[in-house]
Amino acid sequence: MMNLLSTIQWEQLFDWQLAKEAAPYILKNGLWNTMWISVVTMTLGLLVALVVAIARMSPYRLLRYPARVYISIIRGTPLLVQLFILYFGLPVIGITLEPITVAIIGLTASVGGYASETIRGAILSIPRGQWEAATSLNMSYRQTMRRVILPQATRVALPSLMNSFLSLVKDTSLLTVITVPEMLYYAKIVGGRSYDYMTVYLIVALYYWVICTVLNALQERLEKHYNRFTNT
Amino acid sequence: MIEIKNLRKSFGKLDVLHDIDLTVEQGEVIAIIGPSGSGKSTFLRCLNSLETPTAGSIKIGAHTLKFNDKKPKEREIRSLRSQTAMVFQSFNLFPHLTALENVMEGLVTVQRISRETASTQAKGLLEKVGLAQKQDAFPIQLSGGQQQRVAIARALAMNPSVLLLDEPTSALDPELVGGVLAIIRELSKDKTQTMMIVTHEMNFAREVADRVIFMDEGKIIEMGTSDEVFGHPTHARTKQFLDQLYVGIEKNLGWGL
Ligand SMILES: Nc1ncnc2c1ncn2[C@@H]1O[C@H](COP(=O)(O)OP(=O)(O)OP(=O)(O)O)[C@@H](O)[C@H]1O
Ligand SMILES: [Mg+2]
């Protein structure tokens, strides 16, 4: 064991000289793409999720079944395979999409599928009395949803949706395989040039960790804000 | 003002209301009493269109709705419902809104009244139920009795022809019941607000009700002034129900024989 440790060349594990150049390079070129892709697909995904969740609870089969099939496909297949099908598969039938288009469609669809189940669960957790009180005031289904149910469901769904967002930020690293230039993509470029992958991947790992830690802190503050009417 | 004819309600095979006939005058206060499961809540919920009756007709003010196998139109349901407002046993306030916002919600969202006007009206109603100083409190910060008073203000805000109250004090701690009953008593005084109250508070029913209805197994068994129904019940089942109730009360107070 000691022998093994002593054979490791520690200075090759992390090359400070390289890090000084690579770190700003990866940040400058990749961070922006990682972040805007995450934010945009999360936003679009939530809209899709809300529609799918409501369709999934609809009394009409014509809405309910497609929603179920969609959710089942998204949750039952790996995101990487979905991206491959969109990027490498579709050209076979004559549909060629830009990498960034594939990224937006693929990640939005993914968030839409997972978050819809979170949102549905949150909506179903709101007591029947809330629906009845709103209906009794003569609110329509839409008004009840918008004014009474969703504000309360948001609070219920928030921790879980924040986790989805953290996963999404990390999942953008998969986009590197379809040549979307996000953080990992630039790290690979530098790594390839310098033959020092360890240093650049450690840098990328650190970046993801910092982003997620910041988001986590944000989540705690948001939850506090939303809990103001349940904790006195 | 209210005319209910042959009202019937079934849940699948279970017949809960059988051919209810009732006429209520403007400003009347009706107390509905009866054993558990007799259909009292279902009756009020039918009037508030939270349940769709199986057959019969309901006329409130200028709005009439006949029920049969065909589903009534949403628009018709809504115009009938706009004549009523409901106070629930478990308050059902909106927990994410303050007391004031709870009272304003129907005015702003349904009646499309401007926020300023709605706020003024809502403040007036909170004052009426003695909670003006609690307007910015969230429901969780209020006692059960206070919550129910906000719920009464919220219902009154809809300016209903008839106010429906389903056991408004049953979920309250005993020491909070009085405050809520006082509000309802106050409302009954000027004889303008028509009310139908399902209650187990017999003394209260006796005091405020112009008429008392005894329901059992989905039927109106007996109806009359409170003196008639409480003092001289004619129907055996009414007597039995009232006797049981008094025995229960005596037992609770330690007067059991
Ligand atoms: N949504 C429903 N589906 C099926 N059965 C129902 C439904 N609502 C009420 N019932 C049944 O209808 C009957 C009457 O219920 P209801 O709640 O109207 O009685 P109640 O007189 O208000 O009783 P309580 O004093 O306990 O409140 C009961 O047998 C009940 O189980
Ligand atoms: Mg009941």
Side-chain angles (χ1 to χ4, degrees), chain A residues 128, chain B residues 11 14 16 34-43 51 167 200:
Chain A
R128 229 173 88 115
Chain B
F11 293 107
L14 182 72
V16 176
S36 180
S38 56
K40 307 179 297 293
S41 296
T42 306
F43 182 39
E51 307 286 357
E167 300 194 30
H200 291 301

Side-chain angles (χ1 to χ4, degrees), chain A residues 130 132 136 138 143 147, chain B residues 45 48 78 93 96 105 109:
Chain A
Q130 292 291 306
E132 293 192 340
S136 174
N138 237 338
Q143 289 171 330
R147 304 283 307 177
Chain B
R45 292 166 59 84
N48 193 222
R78 289 167 66 91
L93 288 183
H96 59 300
E105 187 57 38
T109 306

Side-chain angles (χ1 to χ4, degrees), chain B residues 134-206:
Chain B
K134 291 287 187 189
Q135 63 170 53
D136 294 323
F138 285 99
I140 191 80
Q141 297 166 317
L142 299 171
S143 75
Q146 291 171 329
Q147 288 190 50
Q148 191 61 297
R149 280 144 67 189
V150 173
I152 291 172
R154 176 176 70 176
L156 288 174
M158 303 318 282
N159 197 16
S161 301
V162 53
L163 182 65
L164 308 166
L165 303 103
D166 189 2
E167 300 194 30
T169 58
S170 295
L172 297 177
D173 293 337
E175 73 272 19
L176 300 176
V177 169
V180 171
L181 293 185
I183 299 291
I184 301 170
R185 187 180 293 121
E186 203 55 44
L187 278 175
S188 72
K189 273 199 182 129
D190 46 11
K191 298 286 168 207
T192 50
Q193 179 67 62
T194 315
M195 287 192 270
M196 295 176 73
I197 311 172
V198 174
T199 185
H200 291 301
E201 301 282 338
M202 294 305 153
N203 289 331
F204 177 72
R206 189 165 195 162

Side-chain angles (χ1 to χ4, degrees), chain A residues 219-231:
Chain A
Q219 170 179 6
E220 275 166 24
R221 293 190 66 161
L222 265 176
E223 278 173 26
K224 268 208 191 106
H225 171 78
Y226 271 97
N227 280 340
R228 76 195 185 283
F229 53 80
T230 50
N231 300 336

